[in-house]
Amino acid sequence: MEYSQLIKERYSVRKLDSRPVEESKLAAILEAARVAPTAVNKQPQRILVLRGEKNMQKLAACTPYTFNAPMALAVCCNRDEAWVRPFDNYNSGVIDASVVGTHIMLAVHDLGLGSTWVGHFDPAAFRKEFNLPDNIEPVVVFPIGYPAPEAKPAHLHEKRRPLEETVVYDSF
């Protein structure tokens, strides 16, 4: 699909059917995540592939937003491996994981699947359910599957501010 078409057509799919996602499509999504840019190419992302009833139940204990998905990807960052800005010691791990997440989101749509960015989850519960070590920070969850026949963009999906309201030239 043409990139400009992809970014305009992609929407947050909140109704998925339970058909499993093919291994070849999962591999393509994970490859899109692997090649995402990260600060100083440190690649601190860690992606949990959550499949099967047991893992999806564990995920449901952390968030109500699983949307009947047969699987999910949870993008985390290894804070110990992320680049740290020397001026203020800002750790780029969450930003890196977000860039990886964007690659995942676009690849999912390009493959005819659906997902949405889920940031509404209990990180403490997630850490416990999936046995995350302290240095691994969960950032975003993507329930993934085939859009249900009744899936459609949310009513605000097409609403975008004009560029004049979001772009500033030269300085504030």
Side-chain angles (χ1 to χ4, degrees), residues 50-121:
L50 307 175
R51 295 187 283 191
E53 188 175 334
K54 181 180 174 186
N55 277 325
M56 294 308 290
Q57 285 176 349
K58 288 167 68 172
L59 180 59
C62 307
T63 180
Y65 302 111
T66 60
F67 305 110
N68 194 43
M71 66 165 297
L73 296 179
V75 183
C76 306
C77 69
N78 182 336
R79 295 189 66 73
D80 293 344
E81 291 182 4
W83 178 73
V84 176
R85 186 168 51 205
F87 301 101
D88 59 359
N89 292 320
Y90 178 80
N91 186 301
S92 69
V94 170
I95 292 172
D96 291 338
S98 296
V99 173
V100 169
T102 300
H103 272 228
I104 288 171
M105 203 168 42
L106 294 174
V108 163
H109 183 73
D110 191 46
L111 293 164
L113 299 168
S115 187
T116 189
W117 184 289
V118 176
H120 183 109
F121 62 89

Side-chain angles (χ1 to χ4, degrees), residues 2-18:
E2 181 74 30
Y3 180 73
S4 60
Q5 178 185 359
L6 175 71
I7 61 175
K8 288 179 182 174
E9 286 184 4
R10 190 225 56 87
Y11 69 96
S12 295
V13 179
R14 294 179 176 93
K15 290 186 178 182
L16 300 164
D17 72 29
S18 59

Side-chain angles (χ1 to χ4, degrees), residues 120-163:
H120 183 109
F121 62 89
D122 179 341
F126 193 91
R127 287 180 175 288
K128 181 180 176 190
E129 290 291 339
F130 297 104
N131 198 30
L132 298 185
D134 291 341
N135 62 313
I136 303 297
E137 181 175 347
V139 177
V140 60
V141 175
F142 294 98
I144 298 172
Y146 283 92
E150 66 274 14
K152 62 182 179 181
H155 71 282
L156 293 176
H157 175 75
E158 301 272 334
K159 185 176 179 170
R160 294 286 185 256
R161 290 181 171 192
L163 282 176

